[in-house]
Amino acid sequence: MPTNIVFDGSSKTYRIGPAFRPIFDHPLDRTLTALSQGFGDGLGGAGGRMLPCEFPEPINRPATDTLATVTRAIRAGAALSVSYVSPGSGESEREIVPFALADNGLRWHARAFDRKSGSYRDFVLTRIRRAAPVPGDAPRPSEGPANDIQWNRVVELELVPHPDGPRPEIAALDYPMEDGVLRLRARAALAGYVLRRWSVDCSPDHSLSGPEYRLWLRDPLALYGVESATLAPGYVPPGERG
């Protein structure tokens, strides 16, 4: 576009014109990463930040060798033998078939079929003490992602400003709402993480109080049958409501 730049004769340089319009679309996440951390063509080639920027430093990064082993297994469709530490049973030996990584905003985990329990589960990468391929093993089709109902189910979530909030118009400014509603689509396996990350009040009568609860799940029945709903703030299954 010829009006995008103008020539500054005094400095003999081209500058952004008053009618500038971008020609290319840049993904916002990559733009913010470039501004805060710099560009880079490779994993080790990133330069310095482009603008002064501060953000929370991650404090629970997974070990690189664990991440490498898990991602190689995902790419190869292979099973892993892992030593895993869980809050309920402590450290145990398991065989898992991972097929995806997920970031819940606070930690990275692998979605995998767990042969010990015969079910699909989330395995936090930082809790894997040891991981190695299972020699000569070929996972069965029944252990693949196609049979993970919670992973393949997508739920529609409608979030609105918390009815008891003092300034609902601010929530409408902070989040990309249309007609006062923020509509999200999330895998059932991840929906609870999403709602907890954004402190969404999921109680049927918007009973949670506190400045962190700025959004309310307008229809809690959207979480019916969603296993990760136990993580959603204030969620009560329909059969347990008073």
Side-chain angles (χ1 to χ4, degrees):
M1 299 178 65
T3 58
N4 266 3
I5 59 174
V6 294
F7 184 72
D8 184 348
S10 61
S11 61
K12 298 188 183 326
T13 58
Y14 285 96
R15 302 185 182 279
I16 291 178
F20 176 83
R21 293 292 182 273
I23 298 176
F24 304 103
D25 291 328
H26 298 283
L28 182 58
D29 289 342
R30 292 186 182 181
T31 300
L32 291 173
T33 299
L35 292 172
S36 60
Q37 301 180 41
F39 287 102
D41 294 331
L43 291 177
R49 64 186 63 180
M50 301 174 68
L51 295 173
C53 180
E54 296 296 329
F55 49 88
E57 186 73 16
I59 59 176
N60 59 346
R61 294 187 178 96
T64 303
D65 56 347
T66 299
L67 180 62
T69 302
V70 172
T71 53
R72 282 196 292 264
I74 292 174
R75 289 285 293 180
L80 291 177
S81 172
V82 302
S83 177
Y84 187 75
V85 182
S86 66
S89 57
E91 187 169 358
S92 62
E93 300 297 318
R94 298 171 179 266
E95 287 189 2
I96 65 174
V97 183
F99 61 84
L101 294 180
D103 175 16
N104 66 11
L106 296 175
R107 62 194 186 192
W108 283 90
H109 64 258
R111 185 70 176 178
F113 181 81
D114 175 30
R115 289 177 172 172
K116 183 175 182 179
S117 64
S119 62
Y120 292 92
R121 297 193 173 186
D122 301 329
F123 291 88
V124 181
L125 295 183
T126 54
R127 297 177 186 172
I128 297 177
R129 300 282 296 272
R130 177 194 57 79
V134 179
D137 180 90
R140 295 179 291 276
S142 59
E143 299 173 329
N147 293 301
D148 188 347
I149 296 174
Q150 293 291 310
W151 182 262
N152 292 306
R153 177 186 171 190
V154 175
V155 295
E156 307 277 348
L157 305 173
E158 293 189 348
L159 312 182
V160 298
H162 199 285
D164 300 326
R167 300 292 297 274
E169 68 275 15
I170 294 180
L173 290 172
D174 286 344
Y175 305 101
M177 295 186 174
E178 294 184 4
D179 299 324
V181 181
L182 172 60
R183 294 176 174 85
L184 297 179
R185 291 166 55 87
R187 295 183 184 274
L190 303 177
Y193 294 113
V194 172
L195 294 165
R196 183 175 65 175
R197 178 183 182 183
W198 295 109
S199 298
V200 179
D201 182 355
C202 299
S203 62
D205 55 354
H206 48 83
S207 59
L208 298 185
S209 61
E212 69 273 26
Y213 299 112
R214 303 180 53 211
L215 296 171
W216 177 54
L217 179 63
R218 184 160 67 175
D219 182 13
L221 288 177
L223 297 178
Y224 183 78
V226 173
E227 293 178 0
S228 66
T230 56
L231 302 172
Y235 176 72
V236 180
E240 299 178 15
R241 297 174 186 171

